[in-house]
Each structure stands twice: as C-alpha cells, then as structure tokens.
Amino acid sequence: MSTIVSSWNDFDPLKHVIVGRADNTCISPSEPASKAKVPLDSPMRGMTGPRTLDTVEKANVQLDSLVKLLESRGVKVDRPTPIQFNQAVVTPNFMTGSMFGCMPPRDVLLTVGNEILAAPMSFRARYFEYLAYWPLMRQYFDEDKNFRFEQAPRPELGDNSYDMAYFDDHITEDILLERTAKLHMVTKEYEILFDAADILRMGKDLFCQHGLTTNRKAMEYLRRHFPNHRIHAVNFPGDPYPIHIDATFVPLRPGLIINNPTRKLPEPQRKIFEANGWEIHDAALSAHTEPPALCYSSVWLSMNCLVLDHKTVIVEESEKAQCEQMDKLGMNVLPLAFRDAYPFGGGLHCATADVHREGTCEDYFPKQVPGTRIDL
Ligand code: DAV
C-alpha cells in the first residue's frame, strides 16, 4: 500500500488534489450565519433556490480547465460526487430549506499530514456537505493504511449557537466593522465551530482566523486534537464579514506571505512572523471593483491563488496587478480564467483541497512569542 494522503502546508510541491464541482449548487435560504456573510447591499439577500443551469455550466467549464492545467503539471485530480443539494436540511435542532454545493472543498476538508479532518461547518445549509466527499474519503481509507479519516464533533447549530440579535433593522457596515474588530461575531462560543478554510497550515503551526465561521472553542479543540502542533489565533480588523483566511493572509513559500491591505494583521500578531524572518507584503489591489453577480465573496478573491510549489502559482487571469506582484516576488505565474466559478463558493484556493504535497512537517517558527498562541 502506498501513501495517498500527506500534506503539511499550502506551498510544498502539489501532487494530488480535490477540485470541486458546480453541479446542483443552490443559493441557500437566509440563516443566522449567512445573514452575516451576504453583504447588506447584495441582491442575493432574500434570494434562494438552485443556480441557473447556464451559470453552472460556465463554472464547470472553468473548474474543468483548472483540472486540465493541474494534470498537465503532473498533479493527480479527484472530484467530489455532487448530491441533490436542493433539499431541506432537518435535524433535531434546526430546519433550513436547502443545502449549498460542493464547489469549495477547502471549506470542508482540513488536511494535516496523513489526516483529513472534516470541519463541523457553521452554516446550517452546509451541515451535510461532507457527504459529497465521503466516496473519496472511503477510497483513500481503503487504499492508504495510514490515512486518518476524521470528523470534528457535529455541532447543534440551533439558536444557542448564534447571537440571534446580531442583525436588526439598524445594522450598518460600520457597526459590523466595530463588532468584528472587537471579536463580537454572530457565531457564539456555545460549541466548537469552524470551517476548514479558516485554518492556515504551516508545518507545526496552524494559524486560525477568528471570524464568523470559526470561534475560539474550535481553536481549543484543534489544540487538543493536534497535540504535536501549535495553534495560533489571528484576526484581521477591517473586514465586516470575516470568513475564511484565504483571501486575507496567503503564504507563497516559506518566509513569504501576502496580506490583504484592507485587513491587516494587527501588530502584536505580526511578532511571530518577524521573529522568524518572514516577510509580510501587502497584496496587490484587485483589478475589479465588484465581485461577479450573485457571489458571496469579495473582490479579494484576487489573492486566493493556488500555489503548486515554492516557485509556481495559479492566479486568476484578469488580476494583472496580482500576477505582476507575484512575478516580482519570484513566482512563475500561471494565469487561469476562473471568475465564472467565484459565485459557487470562491477562488482557486477555495475550489481545491490538498490530498498530497511533497515534504514533511517543518518548524517554520522555531522562535515562539506571545501574541497569537492560544496557550501562551
Ligand atoms: O474576501 O470574501 C472569501 C473567502 C472564500 N473562501 C472574502 C473571503
């Protein structure tokens, strides 16, 4: 038997990856957590139902072209099995009218070494999304005797899990900015809540964004679940809808990170990077002033790139400034059209989940300093 699953970071040479599919994706009904995510002025507010077939087909064309590009670079690609997402989710604690989709595997699957940990998820509509990945997980389990196939505690996601009074008629973006800077999120500390895309994997250190989809209890859970790792809490004031770290803080290779210039890592949290000689660069501005129609994410998907190795990165092709910046930083940039896929759950990093990268669990931060560590 050979090793199928092994990945410790987002930059070592990529060998095997899961790429999502757009089939059957729904705009799910408003719920406590997504109310907080869908921007106040978005036409998506109040909209629900399956996405139109022409938009699904266009997104799949671009997802398929990502698959072709990866395969041409020698990367093995697996795909999830879309389920009928246009069905209600009913549990003892909540009901909601539909599921979401399986375009962004990064949100669900956290790969740490020989383990893939399925996240609890913080949106009710995404409660059963893991099922789209279970056929692959079963296959890896059969083929790789060291694969640890794990699921984080399933959350209740009842009304106790959210601040149900977070949204009222007087809410404004300024109020949201004030609250998120103070770490007052719509998700409470009632139970362990995280999406996998809030966790940045860098060898022995896991940096977790405290935001709408990941709470402090999740970090404490990760500390106990991964006893050989060091768990850090980071947050990025400036984002009224903080969700997922991968359009905010993105490593390109050991020692080099780009940070969203409108969501800067606070000074005390920068110390660990400075102490270990890492450079943090402001990311280039997006070429766009608006995301595509009916998209949950911001224009900052410009920095949501997929690193293939320490010198190669796939970037959305219209993001010329971002491509140029990465080129100057010494990366070989592979541009790829991907904006038709954005509304289905994000950019190039979101649309993928690591199965195998070369390399081992390195210590990139031998000098640990207070400021981010949840247990220091
Ligand atoms: O900037 O809207 C998108 C992250 C998606 N995984 C943003 C964050």
Side-chain angles (χ1 to χ4, degrees):
M1 281 214 214
S2 54
T3 299
I4 308 280
V5 178
S6 181
S7 173
W8 297 101
N9 56 55
D10 268 318
F11 40 64
D12 278 349
L14 184 66
K15 294 288 151 195
H16 186 173
V17 73
I18 300 170
V19 172
R21 287 189 194 274
D23 310 65
N24 304 349
T25 303
C26 291
I27 298 178
S28 39
S30 182
E31 56 169 293
S34 69
K35 249 199 212 163
K37 172 58 189 159
V38 178
L40 296 169
D41 55 0
S42 166
M44 279 170 86
R45 287 188 90 83
M47 193 183 257
T48 175
R51 289 185 181 261
T52 59
L53 201 54
D54 64 317
T55 62
V56 170
E57 281 168 359
K58 279 191 191 152
N60 273 333
V61 166
Q62 295 196 337
L63 287 157
D64 290 348
S65 74
L66 172 61
V67 172
K68 281 200 198 87
L69 174 58
L70 288 164
E71 287 176 344
S72 77
R73 312 281 307 187
V75 180
K76 180 173 162 55
V77 179
D78 285 331
R79 312 295 300 272
T81 306
I83 48 189
Q84 178 47 275
F85 296 115
N86 189 22
Q87 57 181 311
V89 183
V90 181
T91 79
N93 296 293
F94 69 85
M95 290 172 67
T96 189
S98 89
M99 300 173 72
F100 173 74
C102 64
M103 179 280 192
R106 189 72 65 179
D107 299 1
V108 183
L109 304 174
L110 180 67
T111 311
V112 177
N114 64 345
E115 170 168 340
I116 297 181
L117 175 66
M121 308 306 289
S122 302
F123 284 20
R124 291 171 171 175
R126 306 190 72 178
Y127 192 80
F128 288 122
E129 201 168 306
Y130 66 90
L131 291 170
Y133 303 102
W134 254 219
L136 289 174
M137 297 304 119
R138 286 196 296 266
Q139 185 192 327
Y140 303 159
F141 188 80
D142 289 343
E143 292 173 359
D144 177 352
K145 68 173 173 7
N146 291 316
F147 169 45
R148 287 166 51 89
F149 174 14
E150 298 285 336
Q151 165 74 65
R154 301 314 327 275
E156 290 180 10
L157 301 186
D159 290 359
N160 290 328
S161 305
Y162 308 100
D163 177 351
M164 299 299 279
Y166 202 80
F167 282 87
D168 58 28
D169 295 343
H170 309 294
I171 195 88
T172 62
E173 203 153 285
D174 285 338
I175 296 175
L176 285 174
L177 280 170
E178 233 171 80
R179 286 190 191 166
T180 55
K182 284 193 279 190
L183 301 176
H184 172 194
M185 306 292 171
V186 66
T187 39
K188 297 199 304 195
E189 294 293 334
Y190 173 73
E191 59 183 345
I192 297 160
L193 291 178
F194 67 95
D195 282 6
D198 278 315
I199 294 136
L200 172 56
R201 307 163 306 132
M202 293 206 272
K204 271 186 82 67
D205 295 85
L206 301 174
F207 291 87
C208 310
Q209 171 172 238
H210 184 178
L212 297 182
T213 40
T214 293
N215 61 14
R216 311 297 280 202
K217 218 181 268 290
M219 300 176 201
E220 179 56 23
Y221 165 76
L222 292 167
R223 187 185 71 76
R224 298 184 205 182
H225 186 80
F226 294 116
N228 299 322
H229 283 71
R230 298 175 295 229
I231 309 298
H232 304 262
V234 288
N235 69 291
F236 301 90
D239 187 356
Y241 316 101
I243 167 173
H244 304 163
I245 198 165
D246 54 359
T248 298
F249 202 57
V250 175
L252 299 180
R253 60 173 178 259
L256 180 64
I257 292 206
I258 54 171
N259 183 192
N260 187 317
T262 68
R263 307 172 185 164
K264 287 207 185 207
L265 185 67
E267 206 47 55
Q269 298 177 24
R270 301 175 91 87
K271 290 210 164 69
I272 180 159
F273 297 94
E274 290 160 1
N276 291 281
W278 282 63
E279 285 173 29
I280 302 179
H281 291 257
D282 280 355
L285 298 184
S286 171
H288 304 273
T289 52
E290 295 288 332
L294 304 183
C295 180
Y296 292 97
S297 307
S298 73
V299 294
W300 291 103
L301 290 180
S302 54
M303 52 188 294
N304 189 268
C305 57
L306 182 65
V307 175
L308 298 190
D309 59 46
H310 298 189
K311 291 205 169 88
T312 317
V313 60
I314 309 180
V315 182
E316 210 291 323
E317 73 172 10
S318 67
E319 299 293 355
K320 302 280 186 237
Q322 188 57 87
C323 292
E324 206 170 289
Q325 180 191 33
M326 296 214 191
D327 182 71
K328 286 207 180 102
L329 289 170
M331 304 297 287
N332 172 24
V333 177
L334 308 176
L336 186 77
F338 208 64
R339 278 175 67 84
D340 291 342
Y342 283 9
F344 290 78
L348 291 152
H349 189 259
C350 309
T352 55
D354 282 30
V355 181
H356 198 155
R357 287 183 190 260
E358 282 176 3
T360 51
C361 184
E362 304 271 333
D363 186 351
Y364 301 106
F365 301 93
K367 290 190 195 126
Q368 292 281 309
V369 291
T372 51
R373 271 283 285 283
I374 63 163
D375 54 347
L376 267 191

